[in-house]
Amino acid sequence: MAMVNCLIDGIKVEVAEGTSILNAAKLANVKVPTLCYHPDLTPWAACGICVVKMAGSPKMIRACATPAEEGRNYITQDAELTKTRTTVLEMILADHPDDCLTCGRSGNCELQTIASDFGIREQPFEKNAPRMPKDESTTSIVLNPEKCIKCGRCAIVCQDLQGVYALEFIGRGEHTQLKPAADVLLEDSPCIKCGQCSAHCPVGAIYEKDETKQAIRALANPDLHVVVQMAPAVRVAIGEAFGVEPGTILTGQIYAAMRRLGFDKVFDTNFAADLTIMEEGTEFIHRFTEAKDQLPLITSCCPAWVDYMEKYANDLIPNFSTCKSPMQMEGAMIKTYYAEKMGIDPKTIYSVAIMPCTAKKFEIGSCSDMSSAIGEAQDTDLVLTTRELARMIKQAGIDFVNLPEEEVDPLLGTYAGAATIFGVTGGVMEAALRTAVTVMTGEKLPKVEFEATRGMDGVKTAKLNVKGTEVNIAIAHGMVNIETVLNEVREAKKNGTKTPYDFIEVMACRGGCIGGGGQPTGATDEVRAKRTAGIYNDDEKSVIRCSHDNPDVQAAYKDFLGEPNSHKAHELLHREYIKRPVYNK
Amino acid sequence: MADEKLLPMSEGLVAFITEWKKKPGNLIMVLHKVQEEYGYIAGEVAIEVSRMLEVPLAKIYGVATFYHLFTLKKPGKNKIAVCMGTACYLKGAQDLLDELDTILSCKAGEKTADDMFSVAGVRCIGCCGLAPVMTINGKVFGNVKREQLPDLLAPFQNAK
Ligand code: SF4
Ligand code: SF4
Ligand code: SF4
Ligand code: FES
């Protein structure tokens, strides 16, 4: 790799060719201020706050988008640069409302932080922050254009990382708004509710729909039996909201905090992840051995991906696994199996799910199959994101990090290591392979890890040799990466040739759910790597590694469901899909 | 949108889009053509262009709302443009817009309730010697005084 030597304020640094001045400066322990830049995205230099100079030249250049050049000496701070940056900031603040106190991002807003670092105490420019209506049309995210600083991150995430094109710069100059085309609201746009825009927005202009009040109200209602479940990815990320290192596993502390918040029963979505493997693994083996024309089997546990597929890839509906997501399986089991076992009237159960995901808020009411346990009532009543749970814990004054660890409640809580890895890209595939290969070969796996499924490449493919039979798999994460895989499948269908893949896993978010749109903000690949390591640690320290060895799952089949893919399982744990238009108009 | 008739795309337009489909910079060219043909870029046409060019609808709206040249709303029957170039501005172009608003109840960028007129402030149209300048349906009127406006508008108000 060609290297470049340059100076940052006189300090020598060596970086790979093409490295931006911004990143070179980090090696010299300088953090140039940024607003529009995000390490996930190609820089497009919109805001101008990151200006630096070259020694001997008065010209200001944008550090985020300019590669460091050989032999240069870059000046990252002097009186003139500070003045320019301050002016940029003051101009942004002139267009920004001053209601930090009631803003969802107060305390971790990038604009607030920079304004604080710069010691802004006055606003010299005329205030121009008109009131504007919010877009609250979806059940997942809220757009508040008043707060938007037009950095463009959301649109670039939505287009370049997710390939959805729900958001775009509409209009010009000071009238620019980041919103869907054709004057429609998000709900009628192509938006798949992944929430990646909200995870990347530097300010409080796009955020999760806050439903903590509903949870608190339910917890205060003595007539309700309030049950909670938590997704795999929550346990390795929630700590960040309390200043703990990403990837720290806080499962026991979360169970304890949930009990203190007043939940009557604490379950774990991981149980249902094991259940999903039993159902989906069986589905795969059936298609692979007896119905090859129905291959590839495509995973369906990510609701943003399901929404994308129903809009953009509904030609492949027959290839979709009919399995519900683990959250919805758990939800259905809570209001049937658990209610029955405990002799509780399921109508009095209020079922809450803690998810790393904004799309999950949409999923629970997305079609009639989401109400399978008791009549029209939803199987899951409320979804809170990791961020919302963290707020509830703080509001209650719980010293979260120092809580003594507690155990999950039995029946729908115990899980295998295979379940926890659902939280990362490749994890569902790996978990499914652990069980499917065991069943297909009739032998215990010598090694449960499948390395080919791991890592951050947008598309991972592998050929597995299962006792002489070839199994081809593909894994995609970051919604934009799926199209190439789907097109290969479509091409084979068109030509009547053998499918290139037998089993495909898709997760909408980069890195999988650990990088979900409802996780603590500030995720970068560095943070994702730590959360991922936390997930694999959780798996390694599990005594039980494979879903089919989970004793509570075995009991659920024996006492309630019968066999995997049984009639009862189909009623409660499986679903159908519909074609949806890209624009609802 | 219910009361608007579906806009059929002319053969010429379809041929034009097909011809430009693979060329770089095609979106702006195609939108120009659409604007020329209909006088604005209608939602249905944008959707059709999106389908034909395989460009996301969001991108089309991004471009169409960024450039002054494009309008997304159907213009009035008669199009009034008031030059807002420096010369015209100094000679009272804003007064003309204000007066038009008084007479027609229609601000720049809008159209009248009866769809008879739309009013726009436009960039310099290159007749600075005649400032202030306005055009009605492309016909240029120079040295316009606000008192003259009722007379200038009269023939268009009656024309059906
Ligand atoms: S939620 Fe996802 S699809 Fe919807 S606007 Fe945000 S990034 Fe785009
Ligand atoms: S909504 Fe947020 S991410 Fe999008 S442009 Fe505005 S400030 Fe930036
Ligand atoms: S990858 Fe996970 S967090 Fe992201 S949208 Fe899908 S289910 Fe939600
Ligand atoms: S951070 Fe470099 S221009 Fe915005």
Side-chain angles (χ1 to χ4, degrees):
Chain A
M1 196 192 321
M3 301 302 281
V4 166
N5 290 286
C6 66
L7 297 171
I8 301 288
D9 302 317
I11 299 163
K12 257 179 102 168
V13 295
E14 192 188 22
V15 292
E17 200 176 343
T19 305
S20 67
I21 302 169
L22 180 74
N23 286 330
K26 283 182 190 149
L27 296 182
N29 299 92
V30 172
K31 190 188 171 300
V32 177
T34 53
L35 272 173
C36 65
Y37 170 80
H38 191 287
D40 283 351
L41 312 170
T42 318
W44 63 103
C47 74
I49 199 146
C50 65
V51 285
V52 295
K53 289 190 292 198
M54 249 163 355
S57 156
K59 220 178 109 202
M60 297 206 183
I61 43 184
R62 299 189 176 196
C64 67
T66 316
E69 284 175 14
E70 181 66 35
R72 303 283 192 197
N73 184 8
Y74 296 103
I75 315 285
T76 69
Q77 56 111 357
D78 66 11
E80 196 197 5
L81 286 169
T82 305
K83 185 151 178 284
T84 306
R85 290 172 185 166
T86 307
T87 308
V88 169
L89 204 48
E90 285 167 345
M91 280 162 60
I92 295 172
L93 292 181
D95 295 343
H96 198 83
D98 290 330
D99 45 11
C100 289
L101 272 181
T102 50
C103 178
R105 287 294 295 274
S106 187
N108 73 355
C109 165
E110 295 179 35
L111 181 62
Q112 198 184 44
T113 305
I114 297 186
S116 160
D117 292 350
F118 274 70
I120 306 282
R121 295 291 174 268
E122 273 150 29
Q123 297 194 32
F125 297 108
E126 194 190 326
K127 204 79 188 168
N128 174 30
R131 307 307 310 185
M132 282 187 261
K134 292 179 190 154
D135 181 343
E136 300 186 87
S137 58
T138 74
T139 48
S140 297
I141 53 170
V142 178
L143 246 67
N144 180 355
E146 285 176 5
K147 300 262 169 94
C148 176
I149 59 170
K150 292 152 197 178
C151 71
R153 286 187 196 174
C154 55
I156 294 176
V157 166
C158 189
Q159 300 184 2
D160 295 355
L161 293 192
Q162 302 304 74
V164 174
Y165 291 85
L167 294 174
E168 168 63 326
F169 291 86
I170 300 291
R172 124 181 50 86
E174 62 165 324
H175 300 296
T176 309
Q177 275 199 38
L178 277 291
K179 61 177 186 181
D183 269 333
V184 300
L185 294 174
L186 265 186
E187 190 193 17
D188 297 319
S189 83
C191 174
I192 58 170
K193 295 94 177 173
C194 66
Q196 283 304 316
C197 48
S198 75
H200 286 81
C201 180
V203 297
I206 307 188
Y207 48 92
E208 71 285 354
K209 182 160 264 183
D210 189 302
E211 296 178 298
T212 52
K213 284 203 181 69
Q214 282 90 314
I216 291 167
R217 217 179 301 131
L219 288 166
N221 185 341
D223 299 329
L224 290 179
H225 182 77
V226 189
V227 179
V228 67
Q229 57 165 309
M230 163 185 54
V234 176
R235 66 205 72 206
V236 293
I238 194 169
E240 292 161 41
F242 298 86
V244 175
E245 211 21 40
T248 312
I249 306 167
L250 292 164
T251 318
Q253 285 83 352
I254 303 174
Y255 295 153
M258 285 166 164
R259 290 208 177 89
R260 294 201 184 200
L261 286 171
F263 288 102
D264 297 305
K265 214 66 185 184
V266 175
F267 287 146
D268 202 315
T269 315
N270 280 5
F271 166 86
D274 282 332
L275 204 55
T276 304
I277 290 306
M278 299 306 290
E279 293 296 320
E280 198 160 349
T282 307
E283 196 181 9
F284 175 70
I285 294 169
H286 166 72
R287 293 198 195 192
F288 190 76
T289 53
E290 288 161 47
K292 285 231 186 265
D293 56 319
Q294 290 173 28
L295 292 173
L297 180 70
I298 308 178
T299 62
S300 58
C301 39
C302 166
W305 157 233
V306 170
D307 197 15
Y308 182 97
M309 183 279 298
E310 290 188 328
K311 287 169 175 164
Y312 285 98
N314 47 37
D315 53 319
L316 295 172
I317 284 181
N319 293 94
F320 242 59
S321 163
T322 58
C323 287
K324 285 182 184 172
S325 70
M327 173 184 80
Q328 286 305 97
M329 288 200 186
E330 184 88 3
M333 292 293 278
I334 287 171
K335 289 194 180 178
T336 53
Y337 178 51
Y338 166 69
E340 234 174 87
K341 270 254 158 163
M342 303 293 288
I344 300 172
D345 176 2
K347 291 200 190 66
T348 65
I349 294 180
Y350 190 83
S351 185
V352 180
I354 312 296
M355 295 285 133
C357 176
T358 50
K360 292 272 169 195
K361 287 176 180 275
F362 155 78
E363 180 187 12
I364 57 173
S366 59
C367 66
S368 58
D369 292 338
M370 300 298 119
S371 309
S372 59
I374 38 165
E376 311 241 297
Q378 282 179 195
D379 294 344
T380 308
D381 295 289
L382 188 73
V383 167
L384 300 177
T385 57
T386 311
R387 298 198 284 269
E388 289 164 273
L389 178 65
R391 277 204 293 279
M392 278 179 71
I393 294 173
K394 287 181 182 175
Q395 190 185 50
I398 296 169
D399 178 9
F400 176 64
V401 182
N402 296 313
L403 279 184
E405 293 182 43
E406 290 183 14
E407 291 296 323
V408 75
D409 283 317
L411 204 68
L412 299 176
T414 313
Y415 65 87
T420 219
I421 58 174
F422 264 60
V424 293
T425 168
V428 175
M429 180 65 75
E430 181 170 346
L433 289 173
R434 287 183 191 177
T435 290
V437 173
T438 306
V439 173
M440 281 159 74
T441 58
E443 287 164 18
K444 213 171 144 52
L445 289 174
K447 178 170 181 273
V448 296
E449 290 88 0
F450 288 81
E451 304 294 342
T453 60
R454 303 189 176 193
M456 279 300 274
D457 290 343
V459 177
K460 292 167 275 186
T461 59
K463 255 187 219 324
L464 303 174
N465 183 339
V466 182
K467 259 199 160 172
T469 315
E470 201 174 84
V471 180
N472 288 291
I473 59 166
I475 297 156
H477 62 115
M479 207 70 259
V480 79
N481 294 313
I482 186 58
E483 280 300 328
T484 49
V485 176
L486 296 186
N487 283 338
E488 287 177 57
V489 172
R490 289 184 178 119
E491 192 63 24
K493 282 196 179 204
K494 207 176 84 199
N495 302 333
T497 49
K498 186 179 167 301
T499 173
Y501 306 111
D502 302 305
F503 201 175
I504 299 173
E505 178 209 279
V506 185
M507 297 191 193
C509 298
R510 182 165 169 77
C513 304
I514 51 103
Q519 294 279 54
T521 48
T524 57
D525 275 353
E526 216 175 295
V527 171
R528 290 185 189 98
K530 290 181 184 169
R531 292 178 184 167
T532 302
I535 290 275
Y536 286 125
N537 274 340
D538 199 37
D539 171 31
E540 269 156 40
K541 69 184 180 66
S542 303
V543 183
I544 302 168
R545 302 289 296 279
C546 300
S547 301
H548 54 271
D549 293 329
N550 179 337
D552 279 359
V553 166
Q554 290 167 349
Y557 279 108
K558 193 165 140 288
D559 299 347
F560 184 69
L561 289 167
E563 300 274 288
N565 292 8
S566 68
H567 180 70
K568 195 164 200 172
H570 262 283
E571 253 171 26
L572 293 173
L573 311 180
H574 291 252
R575 59 167 300 179
E576 285 172 6
Y577 302 98
I578 46 171
K579 291 187 178 191
R580 295 181 198 256
V582 173
Y583 281 88
N584 263 339
K585 266 215 166 166
Chain B
M1 282 199 184
D3 54 1
E4 261 178 54
K5 269 201 286 163
L6 216 70
L7 294 157
M9 296 238 246
S10 69
E11 268 174 43
L13 185 56
V14 172
F16 186 85
I17 297 178
T18 317
E19 185 198 328
W20 278 85
K21 190 169 167 153
K22 291 265 131 54
K23 300 184 188 170
N26 56 8
L27 183 53
I28 296 217
M29 293 307 295
V30 168
L31 291 181
H32 259 298
K33 194 79 183 170
V34 170
Q35 174 87 29
E36 218 177 278
E37 194 140 319
Y38 301 102
Y40 73 115
I41 297 165
E44 300 95 316
V45 179
I47 290 169
E48 201 47 31
V49 170
S50 149
R51 203 186 52 78
M52 290 182 73
L53 290 181
E54 292 170 34
V55 172
L57 191 63
K59 281 283 153 215
I60 296 188
Y61 273 78
V63 169
T65 58
F66 184 79
Y67 294 99
H68 277 282
L69 320 152
F70 302 122
T71 37
L72 291 164
K73 291 199 199 94
K74 192 174 181 172
K77 195 152 176 247
N78 300 296
K79 298 166 200 69
I80 306 175
V82 177
C83 177
M84 298 300 279
T86 317
C88 291
Y89 188 81
L90 290 174
K91 291 223 166 168
Q94 187 58 46
D95 290 347
L96 295 182
L97 284 179
D98 293 345
E99 186 66 14
L100 284 167
D101 189 18
T102 314
I103 302 172
L104 300 170
S105 311
C106 178
K107 292 187 183 18
E110 292 176 359
K111 64 176 167 178
T112 55
D114 63 359
D115 282 352
M116 283 302 282
F117 291 98
S118 51
V119 178
V122 298
R123 277 185 289 191
C124 184
I125 54 176
C127 310
C128 305
L130 299 173
V133 177
M134 63 184 266
T135 66
I136 304 180
N137 298 339
K139 185 158 185 252
V140 180
F141 299 90
N143 297 316
V144 185
K145 309 221 163 20
R146 54 191 300 166
E147 312 81 72
Q148 298 171 332
L149 284 173
D151 287 344
L152 283 178
L153 295 176
F156 301 97
Q157 264 160 335
N158 300 326
K160 278 274 137 59

